[in-house]
Amino acid sequence: MRRLVDRFTGTVLAPYQAAVVRIGFGGLFALFLVREWPNRLALYGDRSPWGLDLVRRQATLDHLFTLLVWSGSRFWFELVYTAAVAAAVLLALGWHTRAVSVLFLVGVLSVQNRSLYTGDGGDNVVHLMAIYLVFARCGRVWSLDARRRRAALRRDPETADAPGGTAVGLWAGCGLALAAAQLSGFGARTPGAWAVVLWALWAVHGAWGILNRSARGRGSEARAVCDGIATMAHNCAMGVIAAQVCLVYATAGWYKIQGDKWQDGTAVYYVLHLDYFRPWPALDSLLAGSSFALLAIAYGSVAMQVAFPFTVFQRRLKNVLLPLMIAEHLGIAVVLGLPFFSATMIVADALFLPTAWLRRLGAAFGRATARRRAPAPAARPAEALTLKG
Amino acid sequence: MRASLSRPARAVLGLAGCALLLAAGGHLALTFLAVAPRNAASSKAADAVNDYIYPELEQNWQLFAPNPLARNETVWARATVRTGAGDFRTTPWRDLTAEDVAAIRGNPFPGHLDQNQLRRAWDAYGQSVSGPERGKDAHGVLLTTYLRRVVLQRLQQHVQADADAADAAGDRIIRVQVRGRFALIGPPAWDTARASERGVKPWFRTMPWWDVEPGDRIPGSRP
């Protein structure tokens, strides 16, 4: 019990898994926004049939958060959309992760809530993860933050955690933007609770920066307490993320069990004949011809989804289960024409991969990038090591 | 907990830890109630669960469950056009879903515009109309307006193209009508238990005419 408490308060658990969530969902959202770039105005801008009048009415009725209701001007739209892309890329890179994770959340909610009726399951997953990531210390490894910290540690371990000019500037900029939003009256179009949340996050970041600025602050008990709270919040967030993924699979699986078409194994036949999820009809006909294959796919997916929460915490079982689920989602991406949704689910699966696999993956990636940068691989072995974090 | 910390510091950490665990546990409990079937606990706490989950924590994971949709629904629309000369004409019905489907065919990365916009506008409209409020509540009105604008935007482009082709400037849509076409997929050949679902003729459900209202005319989105 004592050991459990110590780990909960003192250890940032699952740092590699947190990095998977950050890089995965940040990167995917960036790719999504770039993919939809040609259609951005029709989906989220002034060419959308879900016009500004409709979304404003809906935002008031349902207390939605989106910066895109503040103004209908083209300039404002392009600014927010581009900023959302930038925040997603920076989050994936792990640049000032804690601050950028809040900006990423604002970007995700702004874009998605502008047109809720064009989203699907993939958007829903990203939406929730963006919220959870704000509470996670997700930049500990595989991030620019981690690289900067290592360099700072080599220079002077004493001041490694002191906030640099960029961090202070970012923080001040966010404060100014928040104040401007509130004073200009734009903020009035956003539910008041969000102002409280965003100001609170800003204050917490500020307090943490102040504590880390001076040697006295860094050695203080207040900093140790704050560090402990941040660690506990991270651990809670990772637990919630894992539980959320389990709830997704459990819901998808348990409800299928009640359906007679999943019971008799014909469900996949119907899915393959839905016009909206049918980019390759020839492929579907091939699959749909075999009653046996369809039955196996139907029973297999339901079994995996129902079993997910119960097997994913058992090391040996999950090492079999996860590759199977990832393979199934790769199949869905192609066969049903749902690449974005499938990719979000693959990231959700990858979150449960064992740390050893993830570290090996990271090391391989580090070697590959180091080789590309320095033609003579033996010349800079230290660089390869530091890259993997 | 770190032994080096003073007693008050440890107390603060302990309290914060309990609060965080409670918050995480409460969040998961409410999320669970939101995804679980309606039960004794969730109906008692229905208001609390809805207030908490909507709008930002929505959970919608009944993917192809309990059963996948067993039919293809296609949205057709037509319009009454006032021509530049002042006459009225009604366009033939046009299968708008077919345009989406054509755009998805052979596309490894279908976008939300083709895959979701019309499909979800039609779904959401259908749900609000068949709901207890029959589409008359605030959301229902929004969703009716939305569907009207989606089809208007697409029809407008065709009317425009036709007018350009006939060199008839000034054609203007004044009202639109939508109908849904429902076609059962039908059971696979080896399924003898559902033989009665085989060979059912598709049927239509036609909505009333909707007048185009101010604010409905949004420039086209497709090239």
Side-chain angles (χ1 to χ4, degrees), chain A residues 149-212:
Chain A
R149 189 158 188 280
R150 270 193 311 272
L153 276 174
R154 272 199 301 271
R155 269 200 311 276
D156 181 6
E158 265 299 296
T159 59
D161 288 323
T166 321
V168 174
L170 193 59
W171 178 74
C174 288
L176 278 177
L178 267 175
Q182 208 140 34
L183 294 176
S184 64
F186 277 140
R189 287 206 178 272
T190 294
W194 279 99
V196 178
V197 169
L198 293 174
W199 277 119
L201 286 169
W202 184 78
V204 167
H205 282 228
W208 180 247
I210 290 169
L211 280 173
N212 280 297

Side-chain angles (χ1 to χ4, degrees), chain A residues 6 33 63 71 81 92 95 97 101 113 116 133 158 166 200 207 209 216 230 245 270 307 325 331 335 340 371:
Chain A
D6 277 348
L33 293 178
H63 313 289
S71 158
Y81 196 90
W95 184 80
T97 316
S101 72
N113 288 348
L116 269 185
L133 269 176
E158 265 299 296
T166 321
R216 222 183 93 207
V245 177
Y270 294 92
M325 300 212 69
V335 176
F340 174 65
R371 219 181 353 245

Side-chain angles (χ1 to χ4, degrees), chain A residues 22-44:
Chain A
R22 168 177 60 77
I23 296 169
F25 291 112
L28 273 179
F29 192 61
L31 284 176
F32 170 77
L33 293 178
V34 171
R35 157 69 184 89
E36 297 294 2
W37 182 264
N39 300 331
R40 67 194 186 286
L41 292 173
L43 287 170
Y44 307 108

Side-chain angles (χ1 to χ4, degrees), chain A residues 6 36 53 132 244 276, chain B residues 1 6 27 59 100 112 149:
Chain A
D6 277 348
E36 297 294 2
D53 52 338
Y132 299 151
Q244 175 73 64
Y276 267 108
Chain B
M1 222 164 283
S6 70
H27 167 76
Q59 311 274 330
D100 285 348
H112 276 21
R149 287 184 187 178

